[in-house]
Amino acid sequence: MEKYIFYVLALIMIVSAIASVSSRRMLRSVVYLLFVLIGIAGIYFMADYNFLAAIQLTVYAGGIIVLIIFSVLLVHHIDMELEVAKKSKRIITALACLIGLGVFMTTIYSHPFIETTTAVTTTTADIGFALLSTEAGGFILPFEVISILLLAVMIGAIIIAKGEDVTEEPPKETPLVKQEKPVEKKKELLETEVTV
Amino acid sequence: MYSSLIITNNIHSWVLSLMPAAVTGITEMMMIAMIYLTVFAVLGLFLVLMERKVAAWFQLRIGPNRVGFFGMFQTIADALKLLSKELTGTDKADKFLYNLAPYFLIISSLMALAVFPFSENLQAFDINIGIFFLIAISSIGVIGVLLGGWSSNNKFALIGAMRSGVQTISYELSVGLSLLTMILLTGSLQLSEIIEVQKSGWLIVQGHIPAVIAFMIYMISGTAETNRAPFDMVEAESELGAGFHTEYSGMKFAYFFLAEFINMFIIAAIGTTVFFGGWLSPFGITESIPWLGVFWFLLKAFALVFLMMWFRWTFPRLRVDQLLTLEWKYLLPINLFNIVLMAIIVWLNFTIQF
């Protein structure tokens, strides 16, 4: 039965991945992308790796997609359609995709995968111990490095959101007028650069 | 994977006699899914009735009392009426997303119901990451609100959807962190094990001070996450019409409506499981009758639902900035401090256990 579920998931993922890059409505492609991500979560569930599946749902489906939808809601009107890229560009992109697919296929098919006989579910406790263990094979160093990186990103985000110089007095202009310009610019950027 | 009551054994042998063993698994899963769907759709309808009765009680009215005994079938009649209504929509709406949006909400809330242990044996899916799965699922529902608001091509709906997005993303943090505080006590994310731990005292008693703080934060942010009053700027009638579902009619509107009430039940059910011992009876008075667990679970859950309705008819609606201030400047710092406090209490073994 698992084989059929896998094929159904794979079909959903491939179809919505293609739809995601070929749709001309921005929000629709985001929703197709969401289906791809949910499909990946489904495959993790099928592999009995529940923790990773839930992470996939929370971080990608619940977090990143919601943020993308948010930014689309801010910059995109319902009547707008993305422009179609030039033919030469499309051919180059198709070639690059085919080469990438070829590399992946040859790697996957040249490697002999062994079928596991016993499925072991990794519990949250195991992950926690592995993350904090200082012994060989422990992940304490990357864990701490990532937490410092996240802290730096948070501070950076606050500084960027505050705008210009945070140490000086804020300018006298009303913030509403000021915010409109970057949004406009972002809209143009999205329209011109996000092409198929 | 599925419950092992005596009745399910009977059904299992009956299904096995009808078809080959390979198909039985799928058939039984389908049957359980159908039963859950039916039961919780009806439960959602009765929650609507309960809301109306409670509202009437708070406002010294009688409430619905015409259809059936004490108006028991009022909401069922309403649902039948909604079924027969025409499905309207705006002309320039993005039809695909417009039609898709209600299903995101209703599916995500129905998926969450699968993991609750209603009694010792009545649990459809005992996943080992229980609580985390619930948080993950509940983070998907907001997509339906955002899509519905945007694709109906109506500025009030869009504003409602944006507000909902801001609100849900902010308050999800508090829900997650307050549940995490309780996970420090249980040491497991699996819902059946969380209940097992509570056999020596409900968690709200075991964890005393930080647990009570966590419970208060959980109820506040849970109410906000389901977009209910006093946090219902999403559908503030005086400002936005009906908010993100302004353009929906008939059954699609009913999906939004039902999802809101089922979400409320889910928040209450998580609260029951994590803080109040789930299906465990108080002081173990009905330990010898296991099927009474369902009764205790529902009793506690409905008490919490009543608490949320009480909020609704007691507090005035917050402004958007007040809402965000409450979350980011008060609840979140208190919550982080509370986790440290709980960690110290667990570390020094200051928990109360019977």
Side-chain angles (χ1 to χ4, degrees), chain A residues 1 25 27-28 31-32 34-35 45 50-51 54-55 57-58 61-62 66 69-70 73-74 76 78 121 124, chain B residues 26 94 96-97 100 104 127-129 132-133 136 139-140 142-143 146-147 150-151 153 162 165-166 169 189:
Chain A
M1 193 178 86
R25 305 271 181 86
L27 201 58
R28 280 196 196 183
V31 173
Y32 292 131
L34 172 72
F35 286 144
F45 269 123
N50 297 330
F51 185 75
I55 286 278
L57 283 180
T58 332
V66 169
I69 289 179
F70 238 92
L73 294 195
L74 283 173
H76 200 70
I78 197 160
T121 311
T124 329
Chain B
I26 306 174
D94 191 331
F96 171 65
L97 296 180
L100 189 71
F104 269 106
I127 193 169
N128 64 346
I129 49 158
F132 188 40
F133 179 78
S139 65
I140 292 179
V142 66
I143 294 174
L146 286 171
L147 289 183
W150 185 80
S151 61
N153 198 8
M162 298 291 278
V166 170
I169 291 170
L189 292 165

Side-chain angles (χ1 to χ4, degrees), chain B residues 294-336:
Chain B
V294 183
F295 166 75
W296 288 115
F297 188 94
L298 288 180
L299 186 75
K300 292 168 189 172
F302 276 109
L304 291 185
V305 167
F306 177 74
L307 188 66
M308 288 170 86
M309 289 174 178
W310 193 352
F311 286 163
R312 173 165 188 168
W313 300 106
T314 311
F315 296 114
R317 184 181 293 143
L318 276 78
R319 281 202 317 268
V320 178
D321 60 322
Q322 288 171 334
L323 176 104
L324 293 178
T325 311
L326 176 70
E327 162 65 17
W328 292 100
K329 292 191 179 162
Y330 295 96
L331 291 187
L332 200 60
I334 293 173
N335 221 332
L336 292 172

Side-chain angles (χ1 to χ4, degrees), chain B residues 49-248:
Chain B
L49 181 76
M50 181 177 164
E51 165 101 329
R52 290 178 64 175
K53 280 285 188 191
V54 171
W57 185 49
F58 272 82
Q59 297 170 344
L60 302 179
R61 293 185 283 117
I62 297 172
N65 67 344
R66 293 285 147 179
V67 190
F69 184 67
F70 281 111
M72 282 286 278
F73 303 115
Q74 177 67 52
T75 43
I76 292 176
D78 287 347
L80 288 177
K81 187 199 74 172
L82 278 174
L83 266 175
S84 66
K85 277 203 159 186
E86 186 192 353
L87 291 171
T88 59
T90 37
D91 209 16
K92 284 193 170 175
D94 191 331
K95 285 279 158 19
F96 171 65
L97 296 180
Y98 178 81
N99 292 328
L100 189 71
Y103 297 102
F104 269 106
L105 265 173
I106 194 87
I107 288 175
S108 66
S109 54
L110 284 171
M111 261 175 91
L113 287 169
V115 296
F116 288 117
F118 291 104
S119 84
E120 191 161 12
N121 295 319
L122 190 62
Q123 184 176 15
F125 185 32
D126 193 11
I127 193 169
N128 64 346
I129 49 158
I131 290 283
F132 188 40
F133 179 78
L134 285 171
I135 295 171
I137 289 296
S138 70
S139 65
I140 292 179
V142 66
I143 294 174
V145 175
L146 286 171
L147 289 183
W150 185 80
S151 61
S152 31
N153 198 8
N154 174 327
K155 52 188 111 162
F156 296 120
L158 181 59
I159 294 170
M162 298 291 278
R163 284 183 181 184
S164 160
V166 170
Q167 187 176 331
T168 315
I169 291 170
S170 317
Y171 279 86
E172 232 163 51
L173 274 174
S174 275
V175 171
L177 284 177
S178 56
L179 290 176
L180 197 65
T181 320
M182 305 313 288
I183 299 302
L184 284 178
L185 270 177
T186 62
S188 168
L189 292 165
Q190 197 166 351
L191 289 175
S192 55
E193 275 181 39
I194 288 177
I195 295 201
E196 202 63 34
V197 170
Q198 301 187 59
K199 283 192 171 154
S200 54
W202 296 355
L203 282 189
I204 200 158
V205 182
Q206 277 195 34
H208 49 94
I209 299 168
V212 171
I213 298 174
F215 175 67
M216 289 196 285
I217 293 174
Y218 174 76
M219 275 325 272
I220 295 172
S221 43
T223 315
E225 214 196 329
T226 47
N227 295 331
R228 286 179 56 79
F231 305 100
D232 64 341
M233 270 92 44
V234 176
E235 39 200 273
E237 295 89 350
S238 50
E239 301 159 27
L240 296 176
F244 63 90
H245 55 58
T246 306
E247 299 291 349
Y248 284 88

Side-chain angles (χ1 to χ4, degrees), chain B residues 261-273:
Chain B
F261 280 88
I262 292 177
N263 277 333
M264 189 165 75
F265 180 76
I266 288 169
I267 292 290
I270 298 176
T272 307
T273 317

